[in-house]
Amino acid sequence: MATTAPTAYDVKLAFPLGAFLAVFFLAPLAVLLVLSFQVDPKGTAYGLNQYGQFLGDAFSLGVLGNTLLLGLKVTALCLLMGYPVAYAYTRVGPRLKSLIILIVLMPLLTSVVVRTFAWIVILGRQGIVNSALMSMGIISTPLRLIYTDLGLVVALAQVQMPLMVLPLITAIGRIDPNLTDASLSLGSGAWRTFLRVTLPLSLPGIIAGSMLTYAAAITAFITQSLVGGGQMLFMPMYIYQQASTLQNWPFAAAISIIFLVAVLAVVMVFNLLGRLSRGYAST
C-alpha cells in the first residue's frame, strides 16, 4: 500500500491563494503595463514614448535618484539606531525585554498618519526641539527642521524602525553565547569580539531588516508628503501628481513600472547579499 509523505500537499490547496494573487495583483499589474505603452492619454497608439520621455528627462531621473537615495539614508539611520536596541534586548532580563519589545512595537499599533503629524508638531518652528534648544540658549531663532531632508529622514526612520529591529533581534538572539564567551576568554576585548563574532553572525538580520526598511521608506507616500511638504518630490508623489492632477495616466503608469523595476533591483541586491551573508555566517 502506497504511503503519502507527511510533507506532501495537494496542489489544489494553493488554488485560492493563486486566484487571489492573479485577480488582485497580476491583473492590475498587467493593466498598468499595457497602459504604460499608450502614446497619449486617449490610447490612440502604443509605443515606448512614455518610457523614453521619463528616461530622457533629467528632472524625472533626479526624482528617481533622490527617492532611492532617501531609502539608503533611512535604512542607514535605522540600522545605526536599531542595532543597539536589538543587541540590548538579547542581553537584558525578561522584564526589560518586555519593555523594549513594547517600545519597539508601539509605533506599529499607531496609525502612520498620527505618527507623521506628531513629527510635524515636534519639528515645527514652535515644536519641542526648537523650544528646548531656545530655552537652553543654544539657538536664538527657530531652526528649519520640517520640510527638510534631515527632518524627513528622521521621521521615516522612526516610522520604519520596527522593521529593522525585529529581524535584528531574531538574528542576534540565535547567536550562541558560548562563541562570545570563548572569544572573551581567549583574550579578545569586547569591541574585537563584537566586530569579529557578533556583527558577522548577525548579517542575515541586518540584510533582512535593511531590505524591509528600504522598501517601506521609499514607498511611504503619507510621511513623504506631510513631512516633506511641497519642498521635496519623490516617486510616490510624482506618480500621484501625474495620475490625479494632470490626468496623464500613461506617463504615470510608465513611472510606476520604472519605479517597480528599480525597487525590485535593489531588493534583489539585498537578497543576494542575504544569501552571501548566510554562507558567511555559517562558516
Side-chain angles (χ1 to χ4, degrees):
M1 181 174 150
T3 58
T4 304
T7 56
Y9 297 100
D10 193 343
V11 178
K12 295 179 182 176
L13 295 175
F15 178 77
L17 178 60
F20 181 85
L21 291 176
V23 172
F24 294 101
F25 179 72
L26 294 180
L29 191 60
V31 172
L32 192 69
L33 185 62
V34 172
L35 187 62
S36 68
F37 288 113
Q38 288 186 358
V39 174
D40 54 65
K42 295 182 180 179
T44 56
Y46 289 85
L48 298 174
N49 299 51
Q50 306 299 342
Y51 292 96
Q53 180 182 346
F54 182 91
L55 297 176
D57 183 18
F59 174 79
S60 299
L61 292 177
V63 174
L64 177 61
N66 290 335
T67 306
L68 299 179
L69 182 61
L70 174 67
L72 290 178
K73 293 177 182 177
V74 174
T75 302
L77 184 58
C78 284
L79 178 60
L80 187 64
M81 298 177 63
Y83 200 99
V85 175
Y87 186 82
Y89 176 86
T90 60
R91 295 294 186 273
V92 298
R95 290 186 177 179
L96 284 178
K97 280 187 177 180
S98 300
L99 178 61
I100 291 175
I101 203 66
L102 176 63
I103 295 174
V104 170
L105 293 179
M106 191 175 295
L108 296 179
L109 306 177
T110 310
S111 169
V112 66
V113 177
V114 175
R115 282 180 284 163
T116 302
F117 272 112
W119 275 107
I120 293 176
V121 174
I122 293 173
L123 300 176
R125 290 181 60 85
Q126 305 301 325
I128 298 173
V129 176
N130 276 318
S131 298
L133 293 176
M134 293 179 68
S135 64
M136 290 186 291
I138 299 177
I139 59 174
S140 57
T141 57
L143 297 175
R144 185 171 179 267
L145 300 174
I146 198 171
Y147 305 142
T148 63
D149 187 67
L150 176 62
L152 179 58
V153 170
V154 172
L156 279 172
Q158 189 275 329
V159 171
Q160 312 301 342
M161 185 68 73
L163 301 178
M164 176 65 78
V165 174
L166 295 178
L168 284 175
I169 287 177
T170 303
I172 298 175
R174 289 178 178 174
I175 299 176
D176 189 350
N178 292 327
L179 295 175
T180 56
D181 293 340
S183 177
L184 293 172
S185 63
L186 291 175
S188 296
W191 274 108
R192 187 178 178 86
T193 298
F194 173 76
L195 294 175
R196 300 297 296 271
V197 178
T198 305
L199 186 61
L201 292 177
S202 62
L203 279 178
I206 294 175
I207 298 298
S210 298
M211 185 166 59
L212 294 174
T213 304
Y214 185 87
I218 61 176
T219 56
F221 174 77
I222 294 176
T223 306
Q224 291 176 7
S225 304
L226 295 180
V227 179
Q231 310 298 321
M232 293 172 285
L233 181 63
F234 298 101
M235 289 297 283
M237 176 57 75
Y238 194 30
I239 296 171
Y240 174 79
Q241 288 180 351
Q242 293 296 325
S244 297
T245 305
L246 302 178
Q247 296 293 309
N248 191 357
W249 286 92
F251 189 56
I255 298 175
S256 302
I257 295 297
I258 292 173
F259 187 40
L260 178 62
V261 172
V263 174
L264 288 178
V266 175
V267 170
M268 288 178 64
V269 172
F270 277 120
N271 191 33
L272 178 61
L273 293 175
R275 292 183 180 181
L276 295 176
S277 67
R278 282 196 293 270
Y280 180 72
S282 62
T283 57

